[in-house]
Amino acid sequence: MPISKCLQKSEPLWKGWDRKAQKNGLRHQVYAISGDCYVGEWKDNMKHGKGTQIWKKKGAIYEGDWKFGKRDGYGTLSFPDQEMGKPRKVYSGWWKDDKKSGYGIQFFGPKEYYEGEWCGNLRSGWGRMYYSNGDIYEGQWLNDKPHGEGMLRQKNGNCYEGYWQRGMKNGSGRFFHLDHGQLFEGFWVDNVAKCGTMIDFGRDEAPEPTQFPIPKIKILDPDGVLEEALAMFKKTEED
């Protein structure tokens, strides 16, 4: 009896080509239609792992971690600098879902930078900002602005400690006028001090002290009525 053999169907050529085209693992330079270039690791046709992306239009360079096609993990973003003749680091820190998230350092200029926490590309959490004019803010941030408790140290030595909202002094706080040797403690609304008290503070060591010291207020109580009332109040509290 003759033996018949079934011929195996050959795989279509396109399936083999498609399998070879799938990007997985480490790849050398891969160019997009826009001219952007990526060198690094892939997974299921997506940038995943360690890699470097160069955007042709702006010349931006990202070196760091990727996760399913997005910057995720630790990485550094740089831009070309014609004066330096090499890329200038703009941000170095953590990313999540293609946005700055976690701890990172952002350089705004040669003498202006921020180090602290980020959320969704915005300064949020604790952070320290060094301004180009010499001022330093250290404290809480929300939506890219000082918000919460924080301290602003000015270049001339003066200092504000207190609460902030939307980037402005709001709430209770203390302002140390160290150049004049005075301390103001009070309440602010949108950077304006509404009420408070001013006292001498380190006036003898101040570089530019006020002409006259702030006089001390004395309460006149010749009959001792106030003193007696305070004594009764303390006794009531003890009881």
Side-chain angles (χ1 to χ4, degrees), residues 181-197:
Q182 293 180 331
L183 166 62
F184 177 83
E185 186 169 2
F187 194 87
W188 272 260
V189 175
D190 293 347
N191 273 343
V192 178
K194 293 295 183 178
C195 61
T197 57

Side-chain angles (χ1 to χ4, degrees), residues 8-234:
Q8 293 182 352
K9 293 183 179 180
S10 60
E11 184 182 66
L13 293 176
W14 69 267
K15 285 191 175 182
W17 295 336
D18 184 66
R19 187 166 54 252
K20 291 179 180 179
Q22 295 294 316
K23 293 185 281 292
N24 278 292
L26 181 63
R27 288 286 180 115
H28 295 292
Q29 293 180 345
V30 177
Y31 287 90
I33 298 176
S34 60
D36 299 344
C37 175
Y38 174 80
V39 180
E41 297 176 307
W42 296 78
K43 183 178 181 180
D44 297 334
N45 262 350
M46 291 185 289
K47 302 161 192 170
H48 192 89
K50 301 288 185 181
T52 300
Q53 170 84 23
I54 302 175
W55 287 269
K56 181 181 178 181
K57 188 174 181 180
K58 294 184 178 181
I61 303 172
Y62 171 81
E63 299 176 273
D65 298 325
W66 296 79
K67 190 174 182 180
F68 300 112
K70 295 181 178 180
R71 291 169 289 187
D72 201 298
Y74 189 86
T76 300
L77 179 66
S78 304
F79 281 90
D81 192 317
Q82 296 181 355
E83 294 182 2
M84 297 176 60
K86 60 180 182 180
R88 176 176 54 87
K89 187 186 296 183
V90 174
Y91 175 80
S92 183
W94 292 91
W95 302 72
K96 186 176 182 181
D97 200 23
D98 220 32
K99 296 180 180 180
K100 303 165 195 168
S101 292
Y103 180 84
I105 302 176
Q106 171 88 36
F107 297 91
F108 299 93
K111 297 182 180 180
E112 187 164 307
Y113 64 96
Y114 168 86
E115 56 179 0
E117 296 176 312
W118 296 77
C119 183
N121 271 344
L122 300 175
R123 291 168 286 186
S124 291
W126 177 92
R128 184 187 294 119
M129 181 71 194
Y130 296 84
Y131 296 95
S132 58
N133 63 355
D135 295 349
I136 302 173
Y137 171 82
E138 182 176 359
Q140 295 175 312
W141 294 74
L142 182 65
N143 295 330
D144 227 30
K145 294 180 179 180
H147 191 97
E149 290 188 70
M151 177 177 64
L152 176 67
R153 288 176 287 175
Q154 297 179 339
K155 184 180 180 180
N156 61 1
N158 292 345
C159 175
Y160 170 80
E161 294 179 354
Y163 287 88
W164 300 74
Q165 284 185 0
R166 308 180 309 280
M168 296 181 288
K169 304 179 190 74
N170 273 283
S172 59
R174 298 187 298 173
F175 198 105
F176 296 85
H177 297 270
L178 299 182
D179 54 345
H180 299 315
Q182 293 180 331
L183 166 62
F184 177 83
E185 186 169 2
F187 194 87
W188 272 260
V189 175
D190 293 347
N191 273 343
V192 178
K194 293 295 183 178
C195 61
T197 57
M198 179 80 82
I199 62 173
D200 286 328
F201 183 86
R203 185 173 177 275
D204 296 336
E205 294 81 22
E208 300 177 4
T210 56
Q211 185 176 2
F212 301 103
I214 298 176
K216 294 181 180 180
I217 299 176
K218 294 183 179 180
I219 301 176
L220 300 177
D221 187 26
D223 299 328
V225 177
L226 181 60
E227 186 177 348
E228 185 179 349
L230 289 173
M232 292 179 62
F233 179 76
K234 290 181 180 179

